[in-house]
Amino acid sequence: MGASITSLTVLLTNLCLDWPSGTVVYTRDLALELQWLGHRPIVYTWLNGQVGLELAAAGVQVVTDLWRVHVRPDVFHGHHGPLVRGALLRFPDVPAVVFCHNSKDPWDAPAPDPGIRRYFGVSELCATRLLSLGARDEATSVRPNFVDVRKYTPKRTHPPRPARALIFDNYTTADTNLPTTKEAMARAGIALDAVGHNLGRVSAHPENLLSDYDLVFAVGKAALEAMAVGAAVVLCSGPGLGPMVTTASFDGLRAKNFGMAALADQVTLDGIERAIGGYDPAARPRYGISSENSAASRRRRRNWWRSTRTLSPKRRLQALPLRAELQPAPATVASPQSVIARPRCQWSPSTGPSGLGRAGFPDR
């Protein structure tokens, strides 16, 4: 059981907790929200670093070895297949929910397991990938990304035309969309800055950055973060270009996680000029306000936890809207030690750990 009858111990897994990629920031924000709600998050990672130290300073336990988890979790929230597998072997009778954040990355492909009760993709494309890997249809659905809007200060003014723009994307390089975007912004008389892992500049706290800009080129969670301050957002990442997000297009694009499936065009001068031509301060969505009532959603969550606080952790999980089946999983006939042992992990910005893809980049 968890630490007490009124709270849950939640084990989260994520490959990396170093530089602030999409899944890293997602994991950090989720852990802090769980802690704020009175639960006990524990984060298991193979590569600890900047963000892991931030979590530890906030009182969240971060481990790189599952044998250092001395309390049985009540539930797993899993990212990245090998770490999910290790957690299931370490605690074979604990129910798990897993998330897929990337429709192509080999690390973001959890193999079906009896211990996994629900499968979530952050986009329709990610959910389709889970189904292709063998996830049960009735246990698979889309659960879009989120942003903690409490941290974001909305822009005070919205000029009739953008004056400052930002590329906020880890896939942008000098060989993809950066030169073309620079030229388009120069033609339009808009000052341009760029932040992204491949550009040598990252931001673990975009809430301190984004409100300075009228226009942001981003995808995935980064796009939501820009919308949280009220900036206009053009979906753009690497060589791919999508539309400007408006209140009318928000719901359809969110089903695609504002990601790869929404990037239908190549980055060209004409394409960028058409996209920014749709700039209209009155039509830009403010995530958490105009697109969905985040404050009311948080109140509903808090009221739900309070109303079930007298239940056991298992009963509380049964009451979740997920309606997860919580029958004990069959015992796994395998050596936990052989799978849980953390391999030596060499990190490369271009290939990710052990050369298996760019794991942890913005949600696609």
Side-chain angles (χ1 to χ4, degrees):
M1 289 300 176
S4 74
I5 202 169
T6 60
S7 67
L8 296 175
T9 297
V10 183
L11 179 63
L12 298 93
T13 68
N14 202 69
L15 185 64
C16 169
L17 282 183
D18 191 12
W19 59 277
S21 70
T23 61
V24 171
V25 173
Y26 181 106
T27 302
R28 179 199 65 188
D29 291 350
L30 178 58
L32 293 175
E33 177 75 3
L34 287 168
Q35 184 186 57
W36 182 77
L37 286 168
H39 306 292
R40 180 184 180 183
I42 302 172
V43 184
Y44 169 51
T45 184
W46 280 358
L47 187 64
N48 200 6
Q50 172 189 351
V51 175
L53 294 174
E54 180 183 343
L55 280 173
V60 175
Q61 183 182 4
V62 178
V63 299
T64 56
D65 181 350
L66 279 171
W67 296 106
R68 293 185 179 275
V69 180
H70 301 302
V71 60
R72 179 186 177 277
D74 296 304
V75 66
F76 298 149
H77 182 288
H79 300 157
H80 300 133
L83 286 82
V84 171
R85 180 64 173 163
L88 289 167
L89 288 173
R90 173 70 174 89
F91 300 101
D93 59 342
V94 173
V97 296
V98 298
F99 277 70
C100 176
H101 286 260
N102 191 304
S103 62
K104 293 184 177 180
D105 191 274
W107 287 88
D108 216 336
D113 186 281
I116 300 174
R117 304 302 198 251
R118 292 297 300 268
Y119 299 82
F120 294 105
V122 297
S123 67
E124 293 172 343
L125 203 59
C126 290
T128 299
R129 184 187 190 190
L130 289 169
L131 291 171
S132 73
L133 294 170
R136 305 184 310 278
D137 182 72
E138 70 276 9
T140 305
S141 58
V142 176
R143 183 60 56 92
N145 250 318
F146 70 92
V147 170
D148 184 356
V149 296
R150 294 169 297 188
K151 300 191 300 183
Y152 291 82
T153 302
K155 292 173 60 63
R156 293 180 179 275
T157 60
H158 298 277
R161 62 180 303 276
R164 299 189 66 193
L166 174 70
I167 295 174
F168 188 41
D169 175 54
N170 285 325
Y171 282 95
T172 293
T173 70
D175 300 323
T176 55
N177 55 311
L178 182 60
T180 306
T181 308
K182 277 185 174 180
E183 185 175 348
M185 294 301 97
R187 287 186 180 186
I190 301 172
L192 178 68
D193 293 326
V195 172
H197 188 265
N198 286 330
L199 303 173
R201 182 186 174 197
V202 296
S203 174
H205 293 279
E207 66 271 17
N208 299 329
L209 169 74
L210 293 168
S211 59
D212 292 335
Y213 298 93
D214 308 308
L215 175 65
V216 177
F217 296 88
V219 293
K221 187 174 176 69
L224 281 175
E225 290 165 339
M227 283 181 263
V229 301
V233 173
V234 171
L235 300 181
C236 184
S237 177
L241 178 67
M244 178 172 286
V245 183
T246 65
T247 51
S249 65
F250 180 92
D251 289 338
L253 292 171
R254 193 178 189 202
K256 300 177 180 179
N257 194 40
F258 306 101
M260 184 170 61
L263 308 182
D265 302 316
Q266 293 292 310
V267 174
T268 63
L269 279 173
D270 288 344
I272 292 177
E273 288 172 351
R274 282 195 302 271
I276 65 175
Y279 177 85
D280 179 0
R284 91 277 179 276
R286 167 88 195 287
Y287 175 72
I289 300 299
S290 61
S291 53
E292 54 183 47
N293 193 334
S294 182
S297 176
R298 289 198 303 273
R299 284 195 298 272
R300 286 194 297 270
R301 292 203 308 274
R302 286 197 296 269
N303 291 338
W304 184 87
W305 289 115
R306 289 166 181 162
S307 68
T308 60
R309 66 186 305 167
T310 59
L311 301 179
S312 68
K314 180 176 179 178
R315 291 291 303 279
R316 294 180 76 183
L317 283 169
Q318 288 173 326
L320 278 170
L322 307 180
R323 296 180 182 176
E325 299 173 0
L326 291 172
Q327 290 75 17
T332 304
V333 183
S335 167
Q337 290 86 348
S338 66
V339 177
I340 296 168
R342 180 172 62 93
R344 296 184 182 275
C345 187
Q346 300 297 322
W347 185 267
S348 162
S350 60
T351 63
S354 305
L356 282 180
R358 298 151 63 93
F361 275 81
D363 310 326
R364 310 292 285 170

